[in-house]
Amino acid sequence: MRFLTLPLVFLYILRWAVAKPRILPSLLHEKRNHVPPGWSHSGRHHAMAVLPLRFALSQRNIHTIEHYINDVAHPASPNYGNHWTATQVAEKFTPSHDTIETVKTWLSDNGFGWDRIRVTNLQGWIELNATVQEAEKLLWAEYHVYKHASGKEHISCESYHIPPHVAPHIDFVTPTVHFDVIVSRSPEASHRKIGASGTPINTNMQGRSFNGPKTTGSNSETFNQLDDCDQLITPLCLRALYGLGYKPRATSNNSFAIAEFTPGAYVPSDLDNFGKAYAPDIVGKRPKLVSIDGGTVQAALTGFDYNGESNLDLQYGMALVTGAQNVTLYQLGDSIQHASDNNLLNAFDSSYCGFDGGDDPNIDGIYPDQAPGGYKGKEDCGTVKPANVISISYYYNEADLTPAYTARQCVEFAKLGLMGITVLFASGDNGVAGLINACLNPDGSQSANGRLFNPSFPGTCPYVTSVGATQVNVNSTVYQPESACEQLISSGFLYSGGGFSNHFSIPDYQKDAVQNYLKNYLTPGLPLSYNSTGSRAHPDLSANGAKYAISLQGNFTRVYGTSASTPVVGAILTLINDARLLAGKKPIGFINPAIYSPSFSDAFHDVTNGTNPGCGTLGFNAAKGWDPVTGLGTPNFPKLVEKWLALP
Ligand SMILES: *[C@@H]1O[C@H](CO)[C@@H](O)[C@H](O)[C@H]1NC(C)=O
Ligand SMILES: *[C@@H]1O[C@H](CO)[C@@H](O)[C@H](O)[C@H]1NC(C)=O
Ligand SMILES: *[C@@H]1O[C@H](CO)[C@@H](O)[C@H](O)[C@H]1NC(C)=O
Ligand SMILES: *[C@@H]1O[C@H](CO)[C@@H](O)[C@H](O)[C@H]1NC(C)=O
Ligand SMILES: *[C@@H]1O[C@H](CO)[C@@H](O)[C@H](O)[C@H]1NC(C)=O
Ligand SMILES: *[C@@H]1O[C@H](CO)[C@@H](O)[C@H](O)[C@H]1NC(C)=O
Ligand SMILES: *[C@@H]1O[C@H](CO)[C@@H](O)[C@H](O)[C@H]1NC(C)=O
């Protein structure tokens, strides 16, 4: 939302009336309504301090990206599967000459000499060192210093303004309103940028020990894992639930990657323990490590918080694609600064990287890292060829980020879709609430007593596939319908994340499905706590997320959450890609336009029982067809293969 702030407008006109008679008043560009929890105001910033101002330039043709995506990803399109090369993508969207000149001219008209203005090599970003005084005048902003309980300081303004003829050429400016979204998770790490990667779901992925796999021991043991899937999920349970008997054969041409954020790390011996119990063909196998921005599989910090997520993702991801398919591990960031989704996107796309993409030093890892012990190498920039399917079990609350930041990153996911890459994100583990059960207040702040639903990001980006969680009901078998995941674990209840975005409007592909839900199945009496303006709804689909057996530091533990569901869906889609590659076809790429299309309507096990409570409500209810708890349902692998083999 943009509006005029009158006193500033008035001053602006006075100041420039003589020099530039035709100049229009500056418009509000971005605004923050509150200071995030944990931070307090400590005073005005020093007028002569220097700020490294960075202007993110708008990209060309961005408003038509949905059209391009549908052209390659909609099953009715004659160009289905004709994915773009990275070069085609870069050429289509690089900022125009006009954009660069308009912004440079505006800066120079405001007294910044050409020698102070730098356009980055890929022409997408303008940099300028300005004193606080200069920046305040340019942006009609006031810079303040904020302090975090941890002692960390942050420079920020509450809003900033850009003249109307320049505004369409700038996505956002840093440092301005954006805040460090970092939440520390463990006491010994409280002074670090923990969580810069998006807070891992493993804060909720509560472990519970049990007495190890019952399948070990003598061959005469008659215990049947399939009888026990309501108590313990193993790869065998998942194969039975989703119809996975497929043996991949196009493995040398296929790829599947799982992203982890340092200091999160998998434990190799746990992978073997898990393999011995549940997946003998992966014993001795390791993921192919692709280190991004100094990422290492560190072994100094151990325990559930460090190893739980990575162990889960790799044990299940690798088991389900079988030992025949290699799995890639994107290990991101050093142990000091960590990394974010943007660091991964930079590694894929040198043009994003070149203009630092949506990079914001308050959210993303910036390399080389000057801190002692930090990664001193260059930032990975277009160095990694993305895998066909990428699974990411980490997320933010959408409200932790500004709309400008999420918009810019979401476009980058769309570009991956254009290139034929499937990107999966966990939908969240707190139902309609956000991380640590925070809900939104009317001013956009988050608190435990907030009443408005708090969706997650990137799941709400219309160009990723968001994965929710289901469960096998107690005393049910894998042959009976699953319900939405509703589990009491030691940190509280775990419910499948889902709902409606506050940043993104609804994409065409899901309009009918969402309309059907709102018209016929919306929980009667549910307060209007969600964004009901017609915005992007998620999750898109789901998979089991309850009671997974994982090996952790030599012991077996049960874990829960959409963290578990996401790599499972990733593995299933990887097997579908295998079938398509064998048939001489392209990978499935961005799947949403296909899975919501009528021809796929019987390709999911519809989940119609359960809810996703939060924010003092019962949340949404699962229902026939798509719903904001379990999406379209869980994968029916044989049907999905059949549908996707029928497409060009
Ligand atoms: C801003 O200042 C820093 C530190 O002095 C310098 O490294 C950088 O090149 C400067 N940037 C511009 C655009 O002048
Ligand atoms: C991999 O792709 C190449 C080139 O398209 C093809 O010749 C080869 O048969 C494929 N291999 C497998 C195992 O599908
Ligand atoms: C899988 O990785 C191993 C170890 O790097 C390699 O020897 C093998 O050729 C790879 N297999 C395929 C199908 O790419
Ligand atoms: C499951 O079955 C057991 C044994 O029949 C019974 O004691 C228990 O109450 C059942 N639990 C539920 C949730 O139905
Ligand atoms: C609801 O979502 C739309 C995007 O579709 C957004 O423009 C609007 O600001 C959101 N409303 C609230 C209250 O956040
Ligand atoms: C594994 O479990 C045993 C028995 O509960 C416990 O004594 C041991 O400390 C656990 N090991 C680790 C590394 O947690
Ligand atoms: C619905 O889910 C609840 C648990 O969340 C379960 O107790 C109940 O049996 C389920 N009902 C059906 C019809 O599956």
Side-chain angles (χ1 to χ4, degrees):
M1 187 183 59
R2 291 176 180 176
F3 59 83
L4 297 175
T5 46
L6 288 171
L8 289 180
V9 167
F10 182 64
L11 287 173
Y12 196 88
I13 291 170
L14 278 188
R15 164 99 168 67
W16 289 106
V18 180
K20 295 220 102 196
R22 284 173 301 111
I23 204 154
L24 291 167
S26 273
L27 299 177
L28 181 68
H29 202 71
E30 284 197 278
K31 182 172 188 291
R32 169 168 57 70
N33 290 316
H34 57 90
V35 175
W39 292 88
S40 57
H41 181 239
S42 98
R44 276 295 282 274
H45 196 25
H46 195 279
M48 294 319 284
V50 175
L51 294 174
L53 285 185
R54 293 142 54 100
F55 302 82
L57 302 177
S58 307
Q59 302 178 66
R60 239 176 336 138
N61 297 318
I62 281 307
H63 53 287
T64 48
I65 203 158
E66 184 173 3
H67 163 78
Y68 295 125
I69 274 278
N70 280 326
D71 190 52
V72 299
H74 197 285
S77 164
N79 280 324
Y80 182 85
N82 286 342
H83 304 132
W84 297 19
T85 62
T87 312
Q88 284 174 310
V89 169
E91 280 170 0
K92 186 60 103 184
F93 302 109
T94 326
S96 69
H97 182 71
D98 181 40
T99 288
I100 296 166
E101 286 311 307
T102 306
V103 177
K104 280 174 72 176
T105 304
W106 167 58
L107 294 172
S108 120
D109 286 352
N110 277 275
F112 294 98
W114 293 103
D115 55 326
R116 295 177 64 190
I117 303 170
R118 184 159 70 208
V119 184
T120 56
N121 55 346
L122 282 140
Q123 313 256 299
W125 192 275
I126 286 180
E127 296 174 341
L128 168 75
N129 289 330
T131 63
V132 165
Q133 195 172 40
E134 286 176 320
E136 290 187 340
K137 200 183 278 175
L138 178 74
L139 299 170
W140 291 102
E142 243 184 41
Y143 280 90
H144 293 259
V145 180
Y146 297 84
K147 279 210 163 108
H148 190 259
S150 63
K152 202 174 143 102
E153 283 195 343
H154 179 68
I155 309 301
S156 174
C157 57
E158 280 179 5
S159 65
Y160 64 99
H161 302 74
I162 293 178
H165 74 286
V166 183
H169 299 285
I170 292 179
D171 282 351
F172 59 86
V173 182
T174 67
T176 53
V177 297
H178 314 106
F179 241 90
D180 204 316
V181 296
I182 294 145
V183 183
S184 33
R185 289 189 297 116
S186 55
E188 79 272 20
S190 61
H191 58 287
R192 301 202 200 124
K193 259 186 124 179
I194 287 276
S197 53
T199 306
I201 291 181
N202 68 16
T203 50
N204 268 344
M205 193 193 65
Q206 187 58 52
R208 279 205 202 152
S209 296
F210 62 93
N211 294 330
K214 296 186 191 167
T215 45
T216 52
S218 71
N219 285 339
S220 60
E221 197 169 356
T222 54
F223 172 74
N224 181 357
Q225 282 179 50
L226 286 183
D227 289 341
D228 216 18
C229 297
D230 64 332
Q231 295 305 323
L232 186 67
I233 288 290
T234 66
L236 193 68
C237 296
L238 295 166
R239 290 203 172 94
L241 279 166
Y242 306 130
L244 304 174
Y246 184 88
K247 298 262 178 300
R249 283 180 292 151
T251 51
S252 53
N253 290 341
N254 200 5
S255 51
F256 173 33
I258 292 173
E260 302 294 344
F261 298 85
T262 315
Y266 85 100
V267 181
S269 57
D270 284 337
L271 198 51
D272 288 339
N273 280 343
F274 180 82
K276 280 176 206 145
Y278 300 120
D281 66 335
I282 65 163
V283 174
K285 275 194 76 101
R286 298 290 176 258
K288 182 166 171 274
L289 175 67
V290 172
S291 166
I292 295 171
D293 295 343
T296 53
V297 181
Q298 61 83 23
L301 302 166
T302 60
F304 187 79
D305 281 355
Y306 296 103
N307 307 127
E309 181 69 58
S310 296
N311 274 7
L312 165 68
D313 296 346
L314 288 166
Q315 290 172 18
Y316 279 83
M318 289 175 66
L320 291 179
V321 294
T322 81
Q325 174 66 56
N326 287 342
V327 173
T328 300
L329 165 63
Y330 295 143
Q331 185 73 43
L332 282 130
D334 63 19
S335 278
I336 313 256
Q337 266 209 94
H338 314 293
S340 70
D341 298 328
N342 271 351
N343 294 97
L344 179 62
L345 292 165
N346 287 339
F348 292 153
D349 178 358
S350 65
S351 73
Y352 191 57
C353 192
F355 50 84
D356 291 344
D359 280 6
D360 181 333
N362 300 308
I363 302 169
D364 309 315
I366 304 294
Y367 294 100
D369 178 353
Q370 301 310 337
Y375 173 62
K376 295 293 181 290
K378 265 177 65 178
E379 172 173 46
D380 271 291
C381 193
T383 47
V384 176
K385 183 179 183 298
N388 292 335
V389 174
I390 300 168
S391 169
I392 308 179
S393 290
Y394 294 73
Y395 67 91
Y396 299 96
N397 292 342
E398 193 185 61
D400 290 337
L401 305 164
T402 67
Y405 181 95
T406 58
R408 191 144 176 139
Q409 185 172 94
C410 184
V411 161
E412 205 58 20
F413 290 122
K415 292 179 186 170
L416 289 176
L418 280 174
M419 294 192 280
I421 289 142
T422 311
V423 182
L424 304 172
F425 276 96
S427 74
D429 287 350
N430 296 71
V432 293
L435 284 158
I436 51 171
N437 282 317
C439 294
L440 290 170
N441 298 304
D443 69 353
S445 62
Q446 304 175 56
S447 62
N449 58 2
R451 275 288 171 262
L452 303 174
F453 296 173
N454 194 4
S456 72
F457 179 82
T460 52
C461 163
Y463 303 118
V464 306
T465 300
S466 170
V467 183
T470 57
Q471 67 183 26
V472 175
N473 292 321
V474 172
N475 293 345
S476 290
T477 72
V478 288
Y479 307 111
Q480 289 167 289
E482 288 187 82
S483 295
C485 191
E486 298 179 18
Q487 294 284 325
L488 180 57
I489 58 176
S490 61
S491 60
F493 278 97
L494 191 146
Y495 299 118
S496 181
F500 294 81
S501 172
N502 288 320
H503 289 187
F504 297 97
S505 59
I506 190 166
D508 274 344
Y509 62 73
Q510 65 171 188
K511 276 184 180 155
D512 290 348
V514 173
Q515 262 314 310
N516 175 59
Y517 176 81
L518 292 174
K519 195 159 150 255
N520 301 312
Y521 300 111
L522 189 62
T523 318
L526 185 72
L528 270 185
S529 307
Y530 61 96
N531 191 317
S532 56
T533 63
S535 62
R536 154 74 165 150
H538 81 131
D540 298 300
L541 78 176
S542 52
N544 192 290
K547 307 179 183 173
Y548 276 54
I550 67 161
S551 170
L552 182 76
Q553 299 291 334
N555 286 337
F556 279 85
T557 289
R558 280 187 183 84
V559 298
Y560 301 78
T562 49
S563 263
S565 317
T566 308
V568 167
V569 170
I572 292 172
L573 298 178
T574 298
L575 297 176
I576 292 167
N577 275 339
D578 187 277
R580 276 183 61 90
L581 291 172
L582 272 185
K585 299 181 184 219
K586 296 285 188 53
I588 53 182
F590 179 54
I591 64 170
N592 295 11
I595 62 176
Y596 282 91
S597 71
S599 65
F600 277 64
S601 63
D602 60 346
F604 293 90
H605 303 289
D606 198 1
V607 178
T608 58
N609 179 46
T611 59
N612 59 356
C615 311
T617 74
L618 278 182
F620 298 104
N621 55 314
K624 196 166 175 318
W626 179 89
D627 56 70
V629 190
T630 63
L632 296 162
T634 64
N636 179 337
F637 179 77
K639 285 264 188 209
L640 285 170
V641 170
E642 179 195 314
K643 308 287 177 191
W644 258 305
L645 282 180
L647 290 176

